[in-house]
Amino acid sequence: MIFLSGGVRLKTRRSDRLIDMTRYLLERPHTLISLTFFAKRYESAKSSISEDLAIIKRTFKFRGIGILETIPGAAGGARFIPSIDEQEARDFIQNMTERLSEKDRLLPGGYVYLSDLLGRPDVLRQVGRVIARQYLDKQIDAVMTVATKGVPIAQSVSNYLNVPFVILRRDSKITEGSTVSVNYVSGSSERIEKMELSKRSLKRGSHVLVVDDFMKGGGTVNGMKSMIEEFESEMVGITVFAEAAFEGHRMVDDYTSLLKVDQVNTLNKTIHVSAGNYLEKVFGK
Amino acid sequence: MIFLSGGVRLKTRRSDRLIDMTRYLLERPHTLISLTFFAKRYESAKSSISEDLAIIKRTFKFRGIGILETIPGAAGGARFIPSIDEQEARDFIQNMTERLSEKDRLLPGGYVYLSDLLGRPDVLRQVGRVIARQYLDKQIDAVMTVATKGVPIAQSVSNYLNVPFVILRRDSKITEGSTVSVNYVSGSSERIEKMELSKRSLKRGSHVLVVDDFMKGGGTVNGMKSMIEEFESEMVGITVFAEAAFEGHRMVDDYTSLLKVDQVNTLNKTIHVSAGNYLEKVFGK
């Protein structure tokens, strides 16, 4: 009886811990949470917490939620690294190719209407997980994008990497304090344009991931590259939600795309969209 | 012995379910997940799933994570409504008043530099939870904001309410297809400005929540109100991250602010920031 009642009590408390720890870890990706912190929070022995973490680690792996890195010993703890299974990533990208191929998405100039998808929280969560998956073992200090349409993607990736994001602007009306500006050639139209970034928004020596919604000639992305150099920082990678088929020389070559708009026929208003190079880059053939 | 081994097996499977269900529910706020779905996912009896949900409900309440609405019976299920405890909301707002009062945030024109805070995922998560808390029992179909600085707030609120967000733009360069435009008076500068919204981004008859980062005269927010009328939709509420002290007649009266910039002294560069009307509106007193 004592054992049983002890067992029941233990089970109840463990349930509470598992639920709260899961949520606590999910909300703080890439952050080491110490055994001491959890032990205090739940008034439990570190040995029990260690067992809890082992269970969570196993489930996170089995369910494709991500990696729970556990650091053993009394001074140890756990760090949640969000990820996504290959199959779930493939399904998501496949689903997006179908959505993007809808013929009423075609806009003048060969652009594709994306604002509905990139305004949906469920889509943005998966975009964030998918992109974060590619960089889970890289040091990244900030995610960079350009206003306005890149912002939701940057924010979602930033959420899963748990680092800040910074926004470049093409207009200078907005009050941001002192800014640094760069000129860049808009690849698709060959105009010279200007982008600005608030001086205080990025530290020197940062490792920066560039994301954007759509890439044609790569001029905008190239402008962000120049901006990163102006801040004496390092570009870790470039990932775009969709790339357009582009005749001619692209200004950047090493980039990742989730989707590729292969063909746009403005006459009969059809779009053909396939998977970008993400799946091959991240999971191999 | 049989009991024990059965107990151990049961405990293990329940642990896995609790962890995965917690994560599954957290990622799908305001969505009814059926008992049938969970029973199939875990190859478990509905009665076991019901017990799991009761445990999760208790922990979510006890830990201030939110409300788990459970619908009883075989056709039932559970719906997670994110929320935040009064104490946690107070602590967050208190913390933000301190951060906003930092003297180097003062920009020309009495504006306050917010981009660092509104680019941090941890801050944005709390902003989203706090704002979503106010509207948890309201029907909301979309969150609306204006580019660029309102976007991160809209996205975070949209994430916790699990509805799309739409972005109004002041520039018309961006390719969005056909748009609807409205003119509005910028309250602080008394200029006539124009904002646009893509026609297809909002359905007629939507219930819309307006959010923005900063409000002075309320002109921009008033413009969004006009836009909602153009779409024959209904405005459910207005919440801004920070309001500025404003001499004169504000264009909107029924709004909520998390923070209030009371005093700005451009000579000695000091800012005084206090809590906005959010706490009183939501928790009383």
Side-chain angles (χ1 to χ4, degrees):
Chain A
M1 279 305 275
I2 289 165
F3 171 82
L4 276 183
S5 113
V8 169
R9 188 155 49 79
L10 178 71
K11 200 176 71 176
T12 309
R13 296 198 50 200
R14 167 147 288 162
S15 298
D16 172 54
R17 291 200 307 264
L18 290 175
I19 294 163
D20 190 60
M21 284 167 94
T22 296
R23 170 256 178 177
Y24 198 92
L25 289 161
L26 289 176
E27 284 204 346
R28 288 158 187 83
H30 294 267
T31 307
L32 181 68
I33 315 291
S34 70
L35 278 185
T36 312
F37 172 82
F38 279 137
K40 210 172 156 188
R41 184 176 175 93
Y42 308 117
E43 296 172 357
S44 299
K46 285 188 183 175
S47 55
S48 307
I49 301 294
S50 285
E51 286 170 34
D52 297 342
L53 290 171
I55 298 170
I56 295 173
K57 180 178 190 152
R58 196 178 57 207
T59 297
F60 276 16
K61 189 178 177 190
F62 178 64
R63 300 283 173 188
I65 300 167
I67 302 151
L68 192 70
E69 283 181 2
T70 45
I71 291 99
R79 184 189 281 120
F80 168 56
I81 315 288
S83 186
I84 189 164
D85 270 355
E86 180 172 351
Q87 194 53 52
E88 197 177 349
R90 283 191 187 277
D91 290 348
F92 174 69
I93 288 175
Q94 174 60 29
N95 180 253
M96 286 296 112
T97 62
E98 288 162 21
R99 296 299 311 272
L100 259 65
S101 300
E102 291 159 0
K103 64 192 289 186
D104 60 354
R105 292 194 178 274
L106 192 56
L107 297 173
Y111 284 90
V112 181
Y113 182 77
L114 298 174
S115 300
D116 58 335
L117 296 173
L118 297 182
R120 275 177 48 176
D122 55 339
V123 172
L124 287 169
R125 273 179 221 124
Q126 291 298 67
V127 170
R129 286 179 71 202
V130 163
I131 297 178
R133 166 70 180 82
Q134 188 182 1
Y135 302 101
L136 52 78
D137 56 355
K138 295 273 194 306
Q139 190 194 332
I140 292 174
D141 306 309
V143 179
M144 176 183 279
T145 195
V146 64
T148 302
K149 295 204 225 169
V151 179
I153 294 174
Q155 180 167 350
S156 188
V157 175
S158 128
N159 189 39
Y160 285 99
L161 294 177
N162 215 20
V163 298
F165 61 96
V166 298
I167 308 171
L168 274 63
R169 288 159 210 279
R170 292 192 181 92
D171 54 353
S172 53
K173 279 185 299 184
I174 309 281
T175 44
E176 280 285 297
S178 316
T179 61
V180 173
S181 75
V182 294
N183 291 309
Y184 67 101
V185 180
S186 169
S188 36
S189 59
E190 299 209 349
R191 280 193 313 268
I192 305 285
E193 312 221 30
K194 196 171 101 164
M195 291 193 294
E196 295 189 325
L197 181 62
S198 169
K199 259 190 182 169
R200 61 174 114 183
S201 64
L202 190 65
K203 281 198 197 104
R204 311 274 139 186
S206 295
H207 299 79
V208 183
L209 170 63
V210 168
V211 300
D212 208 354
D213 63 325
F214 203 71
M215 183 171 83
K216 288 184 90 174
T220 309
V221 165
N222 207 37
M224 289 196 256
K225 213 169 151 182
S226 308
M227 186 64 85
I228 291 170
E229 284 162 17
E230 285 295 325
F231 279 83
E232 294 163 29
S233 291
E234 193 186 313
M235 191 174 72
V236 181
I238 302 165
T239 295
V240 298
F241 181 67
E243 62 171 309
F246 184 70
E247 314 271 321
H249 183 63
R250 246 198 189 112
M251 289 181 186
V252 288
D253 44 14
D254 190 18
Y255 64 88
T256 306
S257 63
L258 271 48
L259 300 155
K260 186 171 183 179
V261 180
D262 298 311
Q263 275 181 15
V264 166
N265 186 325
T266 41
L267 264 182
N268 60 12
K269 293 202 173 185
T270 53
I271 312 177
H272 186 264
V273 180
S274 59
N277 63 7
Y278 172 89
L279 292 171
E280 199 182 321
K281 277 197 142 185
V282 174
F283 301 109
K285 272 306 272 179
Chain B
M1 278 306 272
I2 289 165
F3 170 80
L4 275 183
S5 116
V8 169
R9 190 158 46 80
L10 177 73
K11 199 176 70 175
T12 309
R13 298 198 49 201
R14 166 146 288 161
S15 297
D16 173 54
R17 291 201 307 265
L18 290 175
I19 294 164
D20 190 60
M21 285 167 92
T22 296
R23 171 258 179 175
Y24 199 91
L25 290 161
L26 288 176
E27 284 204 346
R28 289 157 186 84
H30 293 268
T31 307
L32 182 68
I33 315 292
S34 70
L35 277 185
T36 311
F37 172 83
F38 280 137
K40 211 171 157 188
R41 183 174 176 95
Y42 308 118
E43 295 173 357
S44 299
K46 285 188 183 175
S47 56
S48 307
I49 302 293
S50 284
E51 285 171 33
D52 297 342
L53 290 172
I55 297 170
I56 295 173
K57 181 179 190 151
R58 197 179 56 207
T59 297
F60 277 15
K61 188 178 177 192
F62 178 63
R63 300 285 172 186
I65 300 167
I67 302 152
L68 192 71
E69 284 182 1
T70 45
I71 290 100
R79 182 188 283 122
F80 169 55
I81 315 288
S83 185
I84 189 165
D85 270 354
E86 180 172 349
Q87 193 54 51
E88 198 178 348
R90 283 190 188 277
D91 290 349
F92 174 69
I93 288 174
Q94 173 60 30
N95 180 253
M96 286 295 113
T97 62
E98 288 162 21
R99 296 299 311 270
L100 259 65
S101 300
E102 290 159 0
K103 63 192 291 184
D104 60 355
R105 293 196 176 272
L106 191 57
L107 297 173
Y111 283 91
V112 180
Y113 182 77
L114 298 174
S115 300
D116 59 335
L117 296 173
L118 298 181
R120 276 177 48 176
D122 56 339
V123 172
L124 287 169
R125 275 179 221 125
Q126 292 297 68
V127 170
R129 286 178 72 201
V130 162
I131 297 178
R133 166 70 180 80
Q134 188 182 0
Y135 302 101
L136 53 79
D137 55 356
K138 294 275 195 305
Q139 190 195 332
I140 292 174
D141 306 309
V143 179
M144 175 182 281
T145 195
V146 64
T148 302
K149 294 204 227 170
V151 178
I153 295 174
Q155 180 167 349
S156 188
V157 175
S158 129
N159 189 40
Y160 286 99
L161 294 177
N162 214 21
V163 297
F165 60 94
V166 298
I167 307 172
L168 274 65
R169 290 161 208 278
R170 293 191 180 92
D171 53 353
S172 53
K173 280 185 299 184
I174 310 283
T175 43
E176 281 285 296
S178 316
T179 61
V180 174
S181 75
V182 293
N183 290 309
Y184 68 101
V185 181
S186 168
S188 36
S189 59
E190 300 209 349
R191 282 193 311 267
I192 306 284
E193 313 221 31
K194 196 171 101 166
M195 291 192 296
E196 295 188 327
L197 181 62
S198 169
K199 258 189 183 169
R200 61 175 111 182
S201 63
L202 190 66
K203 281 197 196 106
R204 311 273 139 184
S206 295
H207 298 80
V208 183
L209 170 63
V210 168
V211 300
D212 208 353
D213 63 326
F214 203 70
M215 182 171 84
K216 290 184 88 175
T220 309
V221 165
N222 206 38
M224 290 196 255
K225 213 169 150 182
S226 308
M227 186 64 87
I228 292 170
E229 284 161 17
E230 285 296 325
F231 279 82
E232 294 164 29
S233 291
E234 193 186 312
M235 190 175 73
V236 180
I238 303 165
T239 295
V240 298
F241 181 66
E243 63 170 309
F246 184 70
E247 314 272 320
H249 183 64
R250 246 197 189 110
M251 288 180 185
V252 287
D253 43 14
D254 190 18
Y255 64 88
T256 305
S257 62
L258 272 46
L259 299 156
K260 186 170 182 180
V261 181
D262 298 310
Q263 275 180 16
V264 165
N265 186 325
T266 41
L267 264 182
N268 59 14
K269 294 202 172 182
T270 53
I271 312 177
H272 187 263
V273 180
S274 60
N277 62 8
Y278 172 89
L279 292 171
E280 198 181 321
K281 277 196 144 186
V282 174
F283 300 109
K285 272 298 281 174

